[in-house]
Amino acid sequence: MNTHRTMKAFVLQGGFGFNHIEEVNLPIPTPAEGEVLLKIKAVSLNARDLGVINGIYNPNLSTPLIPISDGVGEIVAVGKNTTKFQLGQRVCGIFTQSWKTGLPTQENRVSTLGSPLDGMLAEYVVLPQDGLVSVPEHLTDVEAATLPCAAVTAWHAIVEEGQIKENDTVVVQGTGGVSLFALQFAKLYGAKVIVTSSSDDKLARAKALGADFGINYKQTPHWDHAVLEYTQGIGADHIVDLGGGTTLNRSISALKVGGQISIVGVLSGASVQDFAIVPAIQKIARLQAINVGSRAMFERMNVAIEQHRLKPVVDSVFPFANTKYALKYLAEGSYFGKISIEL
Ligand SMILES: NC(=O)c1ccc[n+]([C@@H]2O[C@H](COP(=O)([O-])OP(=O)(O)OC[C@H]3O[C@@H](n4cnc5c(N)ncnc54)[C@H](OP(=O)(O)O)[C@@H]3O)[C@@H](O)[C@H]2O)c1
């Protein structure tokens, strides 16, 4: 079936960087037993995808590779004994294909879409039925495509590990994908949310989304002091640390005694000089690294998204043919929320 038909896809080949992203024709794949064929409707970009393309994320990556972890598709064919989903259903691939439930395993580390496994930047993709979740019906394709990496990461940090509750104070850093999902999830639970951003305009938009307080981290590099001032010296219950290198020590400084920092991102560097061990001990800080999440987390998150009719924040949508422009726009960093590509 489908063996004579071809599809368009973008692949990374012959090296790293945007210049090595090429549009190619490939055979439409055929689903084997337990697999489904997805007609991809939309994909969405993450900071991680740039790291993959630029060879930072995995310098030993084998290519050609279809990049981009996140996408939504309609099931257009199924393999033998594939009964979990129906033809016509809209589904997302889960970021870590082998992480279904419970704690992650060593095996999970090599089962992530868009590196080292092929990702979603193609007109058709085959995935195992166990590596899929159905998507909330009220979301458009472009919105649904934003969920697998950024939203599941934020949900894992804020709800599953963070056990967020009413009146907790949460700090989220920047106004990209993970940060705005974390803001939206924290508000569902009645928390107070502090957003940091390099732009006053983006802080105003974050407030329109429900943020209680904004700090411009360019104008106020000691944003940790501003968090302490806002919380009357107590500090935040939960900080989603997305900056990494230059933010982790400040996150410890801004934390409440006994609070939790989700170690998620490396936007300002992947290592910390002079990590502040003593303040971390004095605060009895709980530092919990997050690596996206399981299928079970994705499913629980979708229930909440559906129940609250939550809408992801999509900054812009590019047509498939303009994929390279979308990637360049991602690299420029001027967006608010998510960037998607519609097929
Ligand atoms: N561990 C995991 O499972 C996991 C999952 C997803 C993402 N991540 C990581 O988390 C980070 C965020 O990912 P994302 O996809 O949400 O990124 P994104 O959408 O590209 O967000 C980028 C935004 O972060 C803000 N930012 C940049 N440098 C900053 C800094 N030094 N301090 C504070 N904010 C800064 C900027 O916001 P403003 O313009 O408002 O300043 C920028 O627009 C990345 O490092 C990514 O690799 C990790």
Side-chain angles (χ1 to χ4, degrees), residues 189-252:
Y189 286 80
K192 290 195 185 67
V193 180
I194 301 170
V195 179
T196 70
S197 174
S198 57
S199 145
D200 287 342
D201 175 51
K202 289 183 181 183
L203 287 174
R205 292 170 75 184
K207 282 188 186 157
L209 262 184
D212 298 271
F213 187 56
I215 305 166
N216 185 319
Y217 63 81
K218 290 271 189 240
Q219 287 163 14
T220 311
H222 295 286
W223 57 265
D224 48 325
H225 297 174
V227 171
L228 288 170
E229 200 175 316
Y230 179 74
T231 57
Q232 278 130 31
I234 292 170
D237 297 274
H238 196 132
I239 300 179
V240 182
D241 193 275
L242 297 167
T246 65
T247 56
L248 191 56
N249 277 330
R250 291 200 186 282
S251 291
I252 290 168

Side-chain angles (χ1 to χ4, degrees), residues 54-293:
N54 290 327
I56 297 159
Y57 195 82
N58 177 7
N60 301 317
L61 183 70
S62 56
T63 55
L65 172 93
I66 299 175
I68 312 302
S69 59
D70 291 5
V72 66
E74 179 190 338
I75 298 179
V76 292
V78 298
K80 268 194 347 192
N81 299 324
T82 311
T83 52
K84 212 170 153 188
F85 296 98
Q86 310 293 318
L87 287 179
Q89 252 184 293
R90 277 190 321 159
V91 292
C92 281
I94 54 172
F95 180 87
T96 305
Q97 285 285 294
S98 64
W99 189 7
K100 311 286 162 38
T101 186
L103 293 171
T105 62
Q106 181 69 14
E107 172 201 20
N108 295 152
R109 302 188 58 193
V110 291
S111 78
T112 48
L113 294 178
S115 168
L117 303 182
D118 274 332
M120 307 299 270
L121 204 49
E123 288 178 311
Y124 292 88
V125 166
V126 159
L127 286 174
Q129 62 176 349
D130 289 340
L132 304 171
V133 294
S134 58
V135 297
E137 280 195 7
H138 70 286
L139 299 184
T140 64
D141 293 334
V142 156
E143 291 164 347
T146 66
L147 300 179
C149 179
V152 175
T153 301
W155 175 264
H156 184 178
I158 289 288
V159 181
E160 306 260 344
E161 284 290 349
Q163 298 287 311
I164 194 86
K165 54 187 190 318
E166 203 174 351
N167 294 325
D168 277 358
T169 303
V170 178
V171 177
V172 299
Q173 298 172 348
T175 55
V178 176
S179 180
L180 293 189
F181 276 119
L183 156 62
Q184 289 178 297
F185 294 144
K187 291 312 293 181
L188 291 185
Y189 286 80
K192 290 195 185 67
V193 180
I194 301 170
V195 179
T196 70
S197 174
S198 57
S199 145
D200 287 342
D201 175 51
K202 289 183 181 183
L203 287 174
R205 292 170 75 184
K207 282 188 186 157
L209 262 184
D212 298 271
F213 187 56
I215 305 166
N216 185 319
Y217 63 81
K218 290 271 189 240
Q219 287 163 14
T220 311
H222 295 286
W223 57 265
D224 48 325
H225 297 174
V227 171
L228 288 170
E229 200 175 316
Y230 179 74
T231 57
Q232 278 130 31
I234 292 170
D237 297 274
H238 196 132
I239 300 179
V240 182
D241 193 275
L242 297 167
T246 65
T247 56
L248 191 56
N249 277 330
R250 291 200 186 282
S251 291
I252 290 168
S253 161
L255 194 67
K256 182 177 170 178
V257 171
Q260 177 162 325
I261 296 172
S262 293
I263 299 181
V264 177
V266 291
L267 288 165
S268 69
S271 60
V272 184
Q273 266 195 330
D274 300 326
F275 177 68
I277 298 173
V278 173
I281 292 170
Q282 287 168 337
K283 291 244 167 120
I284 319 172
R286 285 177 293 126
L287 272 63
Q288 176 64 55
I290 300 291
N291 193 347
V292 193

